[in-house]
Amino acid sequence: MMSALIRKRPQDWRVRPNFTDYDDTRADFSWGSVPRVCDGMPGGGCNIAYAAVDRHARGPAAAHTALRFVSADSADEGLVTRDLTYAELAGLTMRFTNVLRSLGVGKGDRVFTFMNRCPELYVTILGALRNGSVVCPLFSAFGPEPVETRLALGQAQVLVTTRALYERKVAAIRDRLPSLEHVVLIDVDDGEQPGTQGFWTSMGAASDHAPVTHTTADDPALLHFTSGTTGTPKGALHVHGAAAMHYVTGLYALDLHADDIYWCTADPGWVTGMSYGVIAPLLHGVTSVVDEADFDAQRWYRILDAQAVTVWYTAPTALRMLIKAGPELAAAHRFPRLRFVASVGEPLNAEAVWWGERVLGLPIHDNWWQTETGGIMIANTPAFDVKPGSMGRPLPGVDACVIRRHDDGTISVIDEPDVEGELALTPGWPSMFRAYINAEERYRDCFVDGLYLTGDLVRRDADGYFWFVGRADDVIKSAGHLIGPFEVENALTDHPAVAEAAVIGVPDPTVGEVVKAFVTLKDGFPADEDTMRSLMAHARRRLGAAVAPKIIEFTDALPHTRSGKIMRRLLKARELGLPEGDTSTMETTGAAS
Ligand code: AMP
């Protein structure tokens, strides 16, 4: 029988983990005493790009490979890779800083990226950070509507993208974005596309020496959009001082050592791909593998094998897709150097943890964090026993508790183990978000009695391990991407046939949840195949494949509260055949207004 615990013993360690004594390390830890990743920065400031690139480019790691890009064109016979050393990355990064300076783009100005994983993406991110500009990554599978919303809310001054993405998703909305002064295309030369300039033309004209802009630990560095139940997406602002968190969690949660070959499969369009696909590995001076292609089970095993990956950070949806692809594919490969595997972003089922043991020879180590925390907070780490299904325990420097919210707006901390409540964190870790841009009240509402409330429901067991229970709000997690139902409903109600729409997540064995929309139609529009096709196409065109609903159901009426709000929770309970809960606030006429 499977035990409920995976025991860790020192004799199984292939490399001595960085974090071996849970209680002592936590007790002795203080954020003031962590290694100073910006030491030596001219003028004594703090800048993520300086810490991630310059320190290594000027030291013994200059010729060490920083980024290894696995080309999307790789054929079956072998993977085609392109390496950038720390010194080369520094040169390119400085050139891009000079490109921005030549455009008059400076400290605090917003530079957006919108492209797949490729060298230009990393150079743009690091060059803009070095320039003191605020970087905001957009996921390339977004449609024009999420792109426009984020560019407008974030007051983008510069957008770096590809010709195809620009033509398909940006050109038509550009007139509505007055702040967007410069569009830089990575795959055209100057003059080829009106209103844009060529990335490499500008890079060719720029010097590869650019002093780092003076920034401090409290200066804004990154803007990551995330979703809530209602309203527009929320732009969570992070500061350069977050580098301390990325360094410490790279050390404790990912167990990075200088000779590691590390692969984070997340796209930098989302926070994991930025914090742990760009920043943390470079801070540690390791070699970081970047796959330029989309998921493919065979390809992924080949990368793990041929690149001799030692530390792998991935996500539950990808793991479930590997499980689905069957054990034979895995059996054709060897992973003798792989020594640590971690996962984040959605609940990791116990079966996936055990699959890792069987197929990769290592359990999968689940960890928890979110856009707002900027870095890993709760984790299973190499030296400590894993309870499959649990997210692990708080890292050094992180204080987590479980709270109950009361109707009068107050909260109380739940001390007893195994009681469900909301996960709350004591502020003070360096990568905590500092604002939701232009939404001060939404930001303030996240804090009660000196605690940051995460919106996640959890329980903590008697050993201090946290177990994920669900979200306290209506946001949807599909393939690891957080989707706000309101954004989807808005796009659907723009279709001429739609009277009202309500969007929920329904469980899916592979991607966690899929987006499902319930739609009422205006008089005169039939609930038939043609309307469905037109609505599906409209949603995909506007929202993009990552956000559009996968299922749409026509219905005669949607349930509302007496104050007129759609009761998504009731729709979800009905969909899942669960008890409907308290329906006392429900409007009883039943008709959609
Ligand atoms: P995001 O801000 O897009 O990174 O999404 C953060 C949310 O993803 C969290 O608030 C959780 O709801 C969910 N999440 C992240 N990691 C885990 C995990 N290990 N287990 C369960 N849910 C997770």
Side-chain angles (χ1 to χ4, degrees):
M1 208 182 84
M2 272 182 185
S3 104
L5 192 68
I6 296 179
R7 287 232 175 260
K8 298 293 192 66
R9 300 167 311 175
Q11 58 265 41
D12 298 332
W13 296 344
R14 301 192 202 165
V15 172
R16 186 183 163 75
N18 294 319
F19 179 26
T20 53
D21 189 314
Y22 187 79
D23 293 325
D24 282 0
T25 310
R26 276 176 58 81
D28 294 346
F29 187 91
S30 87
W31 285 109
S33 60
V34 302
R36 293 184 201 288
V37 289
C38 290
D39 257 3
M41 183 170 142
C46 178
N47 184 288
I48 292 175
Y50 172 84
V53 184
D54 291 37
R55 279 186 316 137
H56 307 300
R58 291 195 196 138
H64 191 60
T65 299
L67 296 169
R68 172 164 299 159
F69 295 91
V70 184
S71 164
D73 300 328
S74 299
D76 277 352
E77 313 80 68
L79 300 168
V80 178
T81 57
R82 177 183 164 197
D83 287 1
L84 282 179
T85 64
Y86 278 92
E88 287 166 339
L89 184 61
L92 289 168
T93 298
M94 289 197 245
R95 273 187 203 277
F96 189 72
T97 300
N98 282 326
V99 170
L100 290 176
R101 287 178 186 166
S102 72
L103 296 174
V105 176
K107 189 169 170 178
D109 293 342
R110 308 252 167 88
V111 175
F112 278 56
T113 59
F114 185 39
M115 64 188 107
N116 287 328
R117 296 171 299 281
C118 59
E120 290 86 346
L121 175 61
Y122 295 76
V123 169
T124 300
I125 290 169
L126 293 161
L129 288 171
R130 184 182 183 80
N131 191 45
S133 305
V134 176
V135 174
C136 181
L138 297 177
F139 185 46
S140 57
F142 278 156
E145 194 149 310
V147 170
E148 179 179 352
T149 308
R150 285 158 180 78
L151 288 171
L153 284 171
Q155 303 236 291
Q157 260 136 314
V158 181
L159 174 68
V160 184
T161 182
T162 65
R163 177 182 212 149
L165 286 171
Y166 179 72
E167 285 176 350
R168 286 206 333 261
K169 303 184 182 183
V170 183
I173 58 171
R174 186 153 179 198
D175 283 353
R176 299 201 290 267
L177 298 165
S179 71
L180 185 58
E181 289 170 37
H182 309 283
V183 173
V184 182
L185 302 185
I186 63 167
D187 49 358
V188 302
D189 290 329
D190 271 2
E192 278 185 41
Q193 174 87 33
T196 70
Q197 65 188 85
F199 182 92
W200 288 108
T201 320
S202 310
M203 289 285 279
S207 140
D208 64 0
H209 177 73
V212 60
T213 296
H214 184 81
T215 47
T216 70
D218 291 320
D219 278 323
L222 296 159
L223 178 62
H224 282 291
F225 280 96
T226 181
S227 298
T229 300
T230 56
T232 56
K234 302 179 277 190
L237 196 63
H238 292 276
V239 293
H240 281 279
M245 181 78 177
H246 298 141
Y247 182 85
V248 166
T249 49
L251 197 68
Y252 291 152
L254 299 176
D255 197 42
L256 292 176
H257 290 67
D259 58 353
D260 272 320
I261 306 283
Y262 165 81
W263 183 23
C264 170
T265 61
D267 187 281
W270 303 96
V271 74
T272 303
M274 179 65 78
S275 297
Y276 295 101
V278 184
I279 301 170
L282 296 178
L283 289 173
H284 280 271
V286 304
T287 295
S288 185
V289 173
V290 178
D291 185 13
E292 296 186 9
D294 289 337
F295 175 87
D296 174 86
Q298 166 113 350
R299 180 182 171 96
W300 277 34
Y301 285 128
R302 195 179 293 144
I303 292 175
L304 286 172
D305 179 346
Q307 294 305 317
V309 171
T310 55
V311 176
W312 190 35
Y313 194 21
T314 189
T317 291
L319 290 165
R320 287 189 292 261
M321 294 201 298
L322 289 176
I323 295 172
K324 239 172 133 176
E328 301 77 20
L329 263 189
H333 296 275
R334 292 278 165 273
F335 320 104
R337 293 205 52 208
L338 192 63
R339 63 172 178 81
F340 184 64
V341 183
S343 159
V344 73
E346 3 155 15
L348 183 70
N349 38 322
E351 170 48 25
V353 177
W354 287 108
W355 170 88
E357 275 276 89
R358 283 196 310 277
V359 172
L360 305 174
L362 300 162
I364 315 292
H365 295 75
D366 188 17
N367 63 46
W368 178 96
W369 60 292
Q370 56 181 191
T371 302
E372 286 84 346
T373 71
I376 303 169
M377 308 297 285
I378 294 176
N380 289 288
T381 53
F384 307 118
D385 297 345
V386 172
K387 296 188 184 188
S390 158
M391 324 191 287
R393 293 181 291 175
L395 288 171
V398 175
D399 284 314
C401 61
V402 184
I403 61 105
R404 183 175 294 128
R405 289 191 195 236
H406 303 291
D407 290 342
D408 63 0
T410 60
I411 60 168
S412 50
V413 175
I414 303 171
D415 285 324
E416 321 84 85
D418 297 318
V419 178
E420 207 176 292
E422 186 171 344
L423 175 62
L425 302 159
T426 306
W429 71 95
S431 63
M432 190 181 83
F433 72 133
R434 302 300 165 92
Y436 285 135
I437 52 161
N438 311 326
E440 249 178 73
E441 202 179 325
R442 273 175 123 179
Y443 182 72
R444 267 201 313 273
D445 286 350
C446 297
F447 299 87
V448 180
D449 287 354
L451 290 174
Y452 165 66
L453 310 188
T454 66
D456 278 1
L457 302 176
V458 297
R459 61 188 174 79
R460 185 189 49 210
D461 69 19
D463 299 324
Y465 283 69
F466 282 73
W467 299 74
F468 185 78
V469 173
R471 285 287 306 186
D473 57 18
D474 290 342
V475 293
I476 300 160
K477 254 283 154 119
S478 186
H481 306 144
L482 204 65
I483 295 171
F486 186 70
E487 203 170 9
V488 182
E489 289 160 3
N490 255 349
L492 290 172
T493 47
D494 271 353
H495 187 282
V498 174
E500 224 182 4
V503 166
I504 62 167
V506 296
D508 178 271
T510 306
V511 296
E513 288 184 302
V514 291
V515 178
K516 173 166 182 178
F518 293 88
V519 166
T520 60
L521 295 173
K522 289 181 185 153
D523 286 347
F525 288 91
D528 62 10
E529 280 285 304
D530 283 349
T531 311
M532 177 69 77
R533 249 196 309 275
S534 151
L535 192 50
M536 281 282 191
H538 163 89
R540 268 198 298 269
R541 203 169 44 245
R542 294 279 292 264
L543 295 166
V547 182
K550 296 280 178 296
I551 313 168
I552 297 180
E553 183 176 319
F554 294 135
T555 175
D556 292 336
L558 293 171
H560 291 83
T561 62
R562 292 206 183 97
S563 59
K565 280 195 198 142
I566 296 175
M567 298 175 83
R568 297 193 192 99
R569 284 185 169 256
L570 189 59
L571 284 169
K572 186 151 182 171
R574 287 179 183 166
E575 176 75 20
L576 304 183
L578 296 173
E580 294 192 357
D582 180 6
T583 53
S584 59
T585 60
M586 189 174 156
E587 167 64 56
T588 46
T589 61
S593 47

